[in-house]
Structures are given as structure tokens and as C-alpha cells.
Amino acid sequence: MKKTIIYILLISLVLFGGQCAQKQKAAEGPFVGGAKGVDIAFIAGSPPTEFSQTDTVPVKVLLKNNGEQDINAEDAQVKVYGIYYPNFGLLDQYKGTSSILRGITQFEKEGGEQQVEIGNLKYTQPVTNFEDITLRAKVCYPYETKSQIKACLGSLEIKEKGGEQICELTGEKVKSGSVSAAPIQVTSVNQKPYAANQILFEITIQNSGKGDVYDPSFGCIDFEDLVKRSDAENIVNVEVNPADVKCSFLESESNKGQIRLTTGKKILSCRKTVEATESNFEQNLNINLNYKYIDRASTNIKIREFTS
Amino acid sequence: MKILKLIIILIPLLFIAQCAQFGQRAPSGQGISLNFLKNQPPIDLLYDNQNFRVGLELTNYGFKDTKASVCVYDTVADFFGGIPSNVCEQVQINAAEKSGNNIIPEVKQVYFPSKSQTYFYKEITKGMTTNIISDVIYPYETKANSQICIKRDENVKTTGVTCELSSAEQVIQDSAPLTVSNLKKDIIPRGNNEISLLITFDVQKTYGEILDKNKISQPTDEDKLIDINLNLKGITQNFICNPNKAGRIVFKENQKTIKCEAILTLSQDYIVNPLEIMINYAHKVSKSTGAIKLVIEEEI
């Protein structure tokens, strides 16, 4: 009996120890990493979950930047939606943040927070008994995903001529910490030799958040318009450096351009010509993504009929 | 083992107790009910020249103060006395009150010919019977509510909300003489943020007789017209409902399917908004004593 207890204790210690060791594992890249951007939530009590039809109640949301990109004042914009505004005494307009919303860093694990007051809600319609309503809010903000991928530059030509193989020419190059925390992620960079002196990069860009992504050149208000939105929807601006990397973008072949995600994902093909050297070598492949992102939150409220 | 047996016995008992409790719940918002007060009139027999009055108890479960028309009559010719033809009285009865989840109905007693006067049958013949009947007719408004999602086009995203162009919708309403069921929404996009909103539902009679609210004092069987209004709260009340007769709905059946349509312009992808359906009509409830034996002196 005693032996069994000792065994259980030992196994538990090993399991706990293993978990701690895993948690302490350092990122291999310069970024914290993660798939979060700006989170939005209604502030408890604003509005209250239940109130009378005669009450005027505040509507406030809390924005928290859990990604690694700072957002300037006024750039993150918030509005309630999905209701007929005059019924609630609220306005059909975005409200911007009043100051910078700082992102997380290796040293600051908590991102910046800001409360945005949307307005005061006063239900203007007659109520019989009660009405259950879901109040929804959305945040629209510009964001950037940065990535620093250690690519292996070399070619079949170098390899076949017996050049030194310092790094792996073929395979996955995205490591932990090589992509900054943001809702749009570079989830894979798979490289392979292409022709005699070229490297092919297959870069997977994915919407890893819960929201929607849009062309950053559009304003948040533009996404209310069906035509403008269909132009902007799922468009991400991509810039790959070094500048001699050529990718197949929507408009042309370049190191910068636009892609359109299909079902939240796009595999972008890029090529780089490698000069003849004595050996292959590692070089940073910087892939920066720019976009506008919209995330949402909701809360349920009950508006009761006023009884004196 | 004993405990197990006890549990097996207790569980069904708990269920039964709960069901019994539901059975005792007061009907909510179902209008006015009508009952004869005990022995007013006596329901077995009435003697020649015996004085009697008709005592009625009206119970209002509705949430509106109501002016009802209460009438009594019998099945015997006026020659034999009893209740003369067309004896009606207008009665004001207050609304029921809400106390938490409970409804406290308003009760009112009405007497015919009056609290201090009586009727009697005279010169009756052997074997005669009478049937005393009372009607109450009052205006009623059924209110049915639903939260409906309206979107401006098929392909717009409605993240977090189930919002189809066509869907069955849930109805919240108190029980009433007329109820709304099988509510269905259909959206027909027309371009430029304009949609046609079609609301289809069944109006169902639960009990009593449905009449035109404008003819409470002189009800006829010819035009059983009711008024149906839809209010997409704050947005539009301009629904056109069919089939209609000069804007009103003929309701002669126990159930009728109604189709209402409105044209809307949406500036957002979708909105979730309360829809209220109001049906205005008169409701008639009748109560009969059944056959009362009329007894002549020789039979005593």
C-alpha cells in the first residue's frame, strides 16, 4: 500500500516537473507569439443585465490589446450594431480610443486596456412584461503582424557542386516566437529548392482569430457598404524582405502586394534567386502583414416593463 | 435496499406533485371567464312563482380594464315570465394584476335583474323546463411578440447570430382567445439595401366565439371581422396583411393563415428587432345552467 502511494507521488512529481519545464521553454524567435489582437468585452454593469424601460443605462466596452502591435489613439474604433439605433437612443457611429493602446512585449505580458463609452441606452419602445435583447459591439482596428523567419539560402547548384550544407534547404521554417502575436498569422513557411539556383517559399497566411480581416486602406465605415466591403474583405497587405524575393500577389509579382484569404487562409508562393556561394547560409526572411481587423462581443439584457 | 425502494416511490410522487402544481396555476391573460353564483338561479328546479335572481361572477384574467356587455336570457317564452328578452348590462371590470410570476385576476359579481330584485315564472304547465343562458362579450387584444433577425442580403455575415432569409420564429404570448402560432419570416432582398419582409402566421381560436369589436352591442354572424396590426418596433408598422376585406380580416374559422408584408431599408447588414403582432376583436363567452325543471303547484 505504502509502495503504491510512493509510486503515485513520484509519477505526479515527474508529470508536474515536465509541465513546468515545458512552460519555461524559451521562444526561438524575437516575438511573444499568439493569435490574439484587440479583445473587446462589455464592462460588467454597463449595461446592467436587467433594468426597467424607464431607466437610462451606460454602455461601455473594454478593449485590451493582447497582440504585439501598438495602436494609436483614435485608430481602434468601436460601435454597437445589430439593433435599430433609435429604439435604444444610441448612435450609428464609431467611437475611437482616446490614447495609445499598447501591445504586449517580451517584458510586458499584459497589453494595454482602454474603456470606451459608447453612450447611454434608453429604450424608447413600449414593453409588455419584458424584452430580452442581445446587445452587440464590434471593434475595428488596423494591425500589423511581423515575422522573422530564419530561411536557409542555398541552391541545388551549390549542393551538387559539393558546397557546405550549414542549414536545411528543405522544410518548415516557422518556429516558436518567429511570428508576432496578432490575429492574422504566418503559420507556415515551407521552403524547397526550385530550379538550379532558386528557393521556393510556400508561405501560409491564416486568420487565426475569431474576427474578420479587411484591406487596411479602407476606413471602418466603408465596411458597412456592401460593395466596398466585398472589395476589401479578406484582403491582407504583405511585404516580404529581402526585396529580391518575388511573390505572386493579386496584382503582380513583387516583394509587396495584396493577397485574398479564401476560407481564412492563403498559401503565397515566393521565389528567391540565390547567388553562387561556397555554402548555403541562413538569412532572415521578414514577412510583414498589414490589415484591418474586426472583432465582436455581445451581452444579453432584459428590459422590464415599468410598473409603479 | 429500503432506501432504493423509497427513492423509486418518491421520484414519481415528486413528478405528480409538480404536475399538480402546474394544473393549479391560474390561466394567464385569457380574457374574462363567466360562472353562475351558487343557486342563483337554482339549477335543478324552479317552482311556479318562485322568486329567483341570476347571479354571475365575472373573472378578468386580462391585463386591461374592460367594459363588457353581459346578457342573460332563457328558453321560455316571455308569456311565462322568467327573464325578458334582451336583458343586457354594461359592466366595467378592472384589469388583472401581476404579482411576480402570479396573476391576480379581478373578480366582479353581477346580478339580474338587480341585487335586490328577482324574476319568477308564472302560469307554467306540467313538464316544462327552462334553460338560463348568460353571455359576456368584451373587446380583447392579443399581443404576440417575437425577436426577428432581418438581414439585407443572403451573403452578409451574421457572426454569432443565426439569421436566415427564411426561418420559423419563436412566439412569446400570454394565453388568449385568439393566439398566434407557426410564425415564419421570409426576406426577399430587392437591392440597394431594400428588402421585402414577409411574415406568415396562423391565428387560432382557443375557445368562445370571435366577433367584430365594433359591434359588441349588436353582434351579428355576418361579418366576423378582426383587426391585425404588425409593429416591427421603431422601424415600421406599415404591413399589409392578407386576405383582407377593406383592410380587416374575416375570421369565421377556428384557424386562419395570415400573410403580412412590409418594405424596409436596412443601413446595416442585419438587425435583430422585436416584432409585435396585435389582434383586436370581441370575444363572446356563454354559460348555460342546463335544463331547469319548472314545477307547478300540483307537483309539489
Side-chain angles (χ1 to χ4, degrees):
Chain A
M1 187 65 182
K2 273 186 183 174
K3 271 186 181 176
T4 316
I5 293 169
I6 289 166
Y7 280 135
I8 291 169
L9 281 172
L10 277 173
I11 290 166
S12 305
L13 275 172
V14 169
L15 283 171
F16 272 107
Q19 205 158 13
C20 290
Q22 211 169 23
K23 274 185 182 169
Q24 282 162 7
K25 195 180 169 187
E28 292 173 56
F31 301 109
V32 178
K36 287 194 166 185
V38 176
D39 285 335
I40 179 172
F42 281 93
I43 290 174
S46 300
T49 51
E50 196 171 322
F51 53 92
S52 164
Q53 69 182 113
T54 54
D55 294 337
T56 301
V57 298
V59 180
K60 296 175 190 171
V61 292
L62 184 74
L63 301 181
K64 188 172 182 183
N65 190 352
N66 288 310
E68 282 177 83
Q69 173 71 30
D70 292 345
I71 300 173
N72 289 331
E74 294 290 330
D75 278 359
Q77 298 187 312
V78 174
K79 76 181 282 193
V80 286
Y81 71 102
I83 52 165
Y84 184 64
Y85 297 101
N87 284 1
F88 295 84
L90 294 170
L91 295 173
D92 177 8
Q93 64 182 31
Y94 275 106
K95 277 211 162 179
T97 43
S98 56
S99 60
I100 191 165
L101 203 54
R102 295 206 182 276
I104 57 168
T105 66
Q106 297 277 11
F107 310 104
E108 290 173 271
K109 301 290 181 201
E110 287 291 314
E113 283 185 348
Q114 203 169 125
Q115 179 177 295
V116 181
E117 291 181 18
I118 292 175
N120 288 318
L121 187 161
K122 168 86 173 69
Y123 196 59
T124 58
Q125 293 302 309
V127 176
T128 307
N129 297 331
F130 62 84
E131 253 169 40
D132 284 324
I133 288 153
T134 302
L135 204 60
R136 297 175 176 85
K138 60 183 168 186
V139 57
C140 171
Y141 58 97
Y143 222 64
E144 185 175 11
T145 307
K146 290 178 179 165
S147 58
Q148 195 174 299
I149 317 288
K150 279 210 185 312
C152 182
L153 300 189
S155 64
L156 283 174
E157 200 178 4
I158 297 168
K159 194 177 179 182
E160 281 162 10
K161 282 182 178 171
E164 197 180 342
Q165 298 300 298
I166 287 168
C167 53
E168 205 53 58
L169 261 185
T170 305
E172 178 58 56
K173 296 298 169 185
V174 171
K175 303 264 185 332
S176 141
S178 51
V179 183
S180 68
I184 304 297
Q185 285 287 297
V186 175
T187 54
S188 168
V189 175
N190 199 8
Q191 73 162 67
K192 53 190 161 193
Y194 184 75
N197 63 343
Q198 283 190 331
I199 293 284
L200 175 71
F201 298 105
E202 285 177 334
I203 303 167
T204 306
I205 295 162
Q206 207 165 339
N207 183 357
S208 301
K210 293 175 292 182
D212 300 322
V213 61
Y214 296 96
D215 186 337
S217 62
F218 284 77
C220 293
I221 195 79
D222 292 331
F223 308 136
E224 313 277 310
D225 182 282
L226 279 177
V227 178
K228 285 181 184 168
R229 189 175 57 208
S230 68
D231 287 341
E233 208 161 22
N234 292 313
I235 296 287
V236 178
N237 283 1
V238 182
E239 183 174 348
V240 184
N241 279 301
D244 62 344
V245 176
K246 300 293 172 214
C247 306
S248 306
F249 289 112
L250 284 175
E251 323 82 11
S252 62
E253 197 161 84
S254 170
N255 75 313
K256 54 177 104 170
Q258 290 192 321
I259 56 163
R260 188 184 285 273
L261 307 186
T262 310
T263 59
K265 193 175 171 181
K266 169 75 184 173
I267 298 172
L268 178 67
S269 293
C270 302
R271 275 177 288 174
K272 179 176 163 53
T273 304
V274 183
E275 302 290 321
T277 52
E278 286 180 3
S279 68
N280 61 14
F281 59 97
E282 280 191 327
Q283 190 180 25
N284 279 337
L285 188 67
N286 296 309
I287 306 163
N288 287 354
L289 314 174
N290 275 283
Y291 46 90
K292 276 229 167 65
Y293 204 77
I294 293 185
D295 222 333
R296 299 168 178 86
S298 66
T299 187
N300 294 323
I301 55 173
K302 189 184 279 280
I303 303 174
R304 288 210 173 272
E305 182 182 358
F306 175 72
T307 45
S308 52
Chain B
M1 198 60 186
K2 273 186 180 174
I3 292 170
L4 190 70
K5 276 184 184 171
L6 201 67
I7 290 169
I8 291 167
I9 295 165
L10 273 176
I11 287 171
L13 277 176
L14 279 170
F15 269 103
I16 292 163
Q18 203 156 12
C19 293
Q21 209 168 21
F22 277 123
Q24 283 165 9
R25 281 179 68 177
S28 58
Q30 65 171 21
I32 295 175
S33 74
L34 176 69
N35 282 299
F36 286 102
L37 292 170
K38 193 168 184 186
N39 289 337
Q40 298 177 70
I43 54 168
D44 293 332
L45 44 92
L46 273 169
Y47 301 105
D48 197 15
N49 290 312
Q50 180 188 345
N51 291 314
F52 71 92
R53 67 179 182 183
V54 178
L56 297 166
E57 186 172 84
L58 303 175
T59 309
N60 188 6
Y61 292 100
F63 300 118
K64 265 190 178 175
D65 293 348
T66 304
K67 193 177 180 184
S69 170
V70 185
C71 302
V72 288
Y73 53 96
D74 61 17
T75 51
V76 172
D78 285 352
F79 172 80
F80 297 104
I83 303 165
S85 306
N86 300 321
V87 178
C88 293
E89 195 177 313
Q90 299 298 310
V91 177
Q92 181 73 29
I93 181 162
N94 292 338
E97 281 182 17
K98 282 178 207 167
S99 171
N101 289 328
N102 296 322
I103 291 152
I104 304 161
E106 179 71 14
V107 180
K108 190 160 195 171
Q109 291 171 347
V110 186
Y111 298 92
F112 287 92
S114 72
K115 204 166 186 179
S116 55
Q117 289 177 299
T118 53
Y119 299 115
F120 61 90
Y121 287 101
K122 58 181 186 184
E123 297 177 33
I124 53 182
T125 54
K126 199 176 177 181
M128 270 181 78
T129 59
T130 184
N131 205 334
I132 297 172
I133 299 153
S134 177
D135 295 336
V136 58
I137 307 171
Y138 59 97
Y140 200 84
E141 183 178 61
T142 291
K143 275 187 182 177
N145 288 283
S146 183
Q147 291 277 342
I148 61 165
C149 182
I150 310 157
K151 61 178 181 180
R152 59 179 163 181
D153 216 333
E154 186 176 9
N155 51 9
V156 296
K157 273 190 182 175
T158 58
T159 313
V161 190
T162 308
C163 194
E164 304 295 338
L165 284 183
S166 296
S167 57
E169 302 293 334
Q170 197 187 354
V171 184
I172 297 168
Q173 65 191 322
D174 287 325
S175 56
L178 283 183
T179 57
V180 172
S181 58
N182 300 325
L183 181 65
K184 194 172 172 280
K185 165 203 84 185
D186 290 287
I187 296 162
I188 300 155
R190 295 159 57 113
N192 296 324
N193 296 335
E194 202 174 80
I195 60 142
S196 168
L197 175 64
L198 287 171
I199 301 290
T200 312
F201 54 94
D202 291 341
V203 176
Q204 191 141 18
K205 187 175 84 174
T206 52
Y207 70 106
E209 196 179 337
I210 305 301
L211 301 165
D212 185 344
K213 72 173 169 37
N214 299 330
K215 293 180 179 173
I216 287 179
S217 52
Q218 291 167 320
T220 60
D221 280 348
E222 285 170 16
D223 285 334
K224 293 187 170 183
L225 292 165
I226 61 171
D227 296 303
I228 295 181
N229 293 296
L230 270 66
N231 182 8
L232 190 61
K233 283 187 178 176
I235 300 173
T236 186
Q237 294 185 47
N238 294 328
F239 283 85
I240 295 168
C241 297
N242 281 299
N244 73 55
K245 185 178 176 183
R248 307 185 76 199
I249 309 289
V250 179
F251 192 87
K252 287 182 176 171
E253 316 81 346
N254 286 334
Q255 184 179 311
K256 189 163 193 168
T257 301
I258 308 293
K259 284 183 183 180
C260 301
E261 186 182 10
I263 308 293
L264 312 175
T265 303
L266 290 181
S267 59
Q268 301 179 68
D269 281 349
Y270 73 94
I271 54 165
V272 181
N273 205 71
L275 172 76
E276 190 170 52
I277 300 170
M278 289 153 293
I279 311 173
N280 282 281
Y281 50 95
H283 186 225
K284 180 180 171 183
V285 182
S286 299
K287 200 87 181 182
S288 164
T289 55
I292 302 171
K293 192 176 175 189
L294 296 176
V295 185
I296 55 173
E297 279 175 21
E298 295 94 83
E299 290 179 280
I300 302 168

